[in-house]
Amino acid sequence: MNSAYHRRVVFPRELGNSTSRQLHNESPALVVPVGSTEQHGPHLPLDTDTRIASAVADALVTRLRAREDSRWLTAPAIGYGASGEHEGFAGTVSIGTAVLAELLVEFARSACQWAGRLVFVNGHGGNVAALRKAVALLRYEGRDAAWCPCTASNADAHAGHTETSVLLHISPDLVRQDDWLPGNGAPLSQLMPEMLRGGVAAVSSLGVLGDPTTATAEEGRRIFAEMVDACVLRVSRWAPDREGMLI
């Protein structure tokens, strides 16, 4: 084997533009954004959840690499999730909980052949059941895998103040402010029975649960920082619960 292959090279920060040689014998730690492709009202893009998860994952890696361990890198996002509740709207592509769980398991089984640690950063609430199932199995199999959510305090449910504010911060050109309108602002617990029967379309013709018209980029910067801070704390602590969620 060519000895030059083993020459020390600069460690990358993104899996997608890395080479096998850069990762060889390094046992990197991998951050994998998990999102969705689903409607987010008339004003936000279909990849909103993936976009947020990717931005949080990138900021998480930046923070972790600034510390002692520089071997963290981000993987290309998994951009399809369990979004069946949004299938009443054009553009939504849902692969369902069972398929997503299998995808996550096979992804991690393969990646953990060279990565020493793996964490999924989740941007879509509908993916939680799949993450719990998949990561619990991966940990049972002896793999050092976990997951953490992109959460913020007092967040509304979907395409409202919270997500719209974050998009105004990270992707302002994609927010169609001329098209935003308030949606159903009732608590999610109150809406859930009808949503389980008929999806989001049964409770909001707009596909919005919350009020995007109150969103601002400044608020989005604050919410995004809260999401990143929470993920940094969870990953740094690395204390997975029984289903692999970092607490």
Side-chain angles (χ1 to χ4, degrees):
M1 184 179 294
N2 190 338
S3 61
Y5 187 88
H6 299 282
R7 186 172 65 249
R8 187 160 184 82
V9 294
V10 176
F11 192 77
R13 60 167 294 127
E14 295 179 7
L15 178 63
N17 60 22
S18 305
T19 67
S20 181
R21 176 183 163 196
Q22 287 175 303
L23 303 180
H24 188 70
N25 289 334
E26 292 290 347
S27 189
L30 189 63
V31 177
V32 188
V34 184
S36 69
T37 300
E38 63 180 41
Q39 72 84 23
H40 275 77
H43 64 290
L44 292 181
L46 294 165
D47 70 347
T48 290
D49 292 338
T50 307
R51 190 173 291 272
I52 292 173
S54 296
V56 170
D58 187 63
L60 170 63
V61 166
T62 297
R63 293 270 295 274
L64 293 172
R65 287 171 66 101
R67 300 182 176 187
E68 293 182 5
D69 189 354
S70 63
R71 291 181 297 175
W72 288 93
L73 72 161
T74 52
I78 297 171
Y80 296 95
S83 304
E85 69 274 19
H86 297 284
E87 287 185 323
F89 298 87
T92 297
V93 179
S94 174
I95 61 174
T97 295
V99 171
L100 177 60
E102 185 173 357
L103 186 158
L104 297 173
V105 168
E106 294 303 325
F107 182 108
R109 283 174 175 167
S110 180
C112 285
Q113 293 188 55
W114 49 266
R117 173 168 283 182
L118 181 149
V119 58
F120 296 109
V121 173
N122 181 46
H124 172 51
N127 295 341
V128 168
L131 282 157
R132 287 173 173 165
K133 179 179 179 181
V135 180
L137 175 58
L138 290 165
R139 294 191 62 78
Y140 175 78
E141 294 175 343
R143 294 172 174 85
D144 194 10
W147 68 279
C148 64
C150 299
T151 56
S153 57
N154 302 314
D156 52 10
H158 185 74
H161 175 86
T162 303
E163 290 185 317
T164 304
S165 292
V166 174
L167 262 289
L168 283 171
H169 170 53
I170 64 173
S171 298
D173 293 344
L174 295 180
V175 180
R176 297 165 176 81
Q177 297 187 37
D178 290 342
D179 294 326
W180 66 16
L181 292 167
N184 193 328
L188 189 59
S189 58
Q190 180 180 324
L191 299 175
M192 191 58 69
E194 195 169 353
M195 283 177 56
L196 290 174
R197 290 191 294 269
V200 173
V203 298
S204 174
S205 61
L206 291 173
V208 176
L209 304 178
D211 187 357
T213 66
T214 61
T216 66
E218 182 179 1
E219 180 71 353
R221 186 178 303 108
R222 182 195 66 78
I223 295 168
F224 181 75
E226 182 180 344
M227 291 177 173
V228 174
D229 287 346
C231 284
V232 170
L233 182 61
R234 289 172 189 262
V235 173
S236 298
R237 185 186 295 136
W238 201 261
D241 66 13
R242 291 188 304 170
E243 295 171 322
M245 187 180 81
L246 295 172
I247 57 177

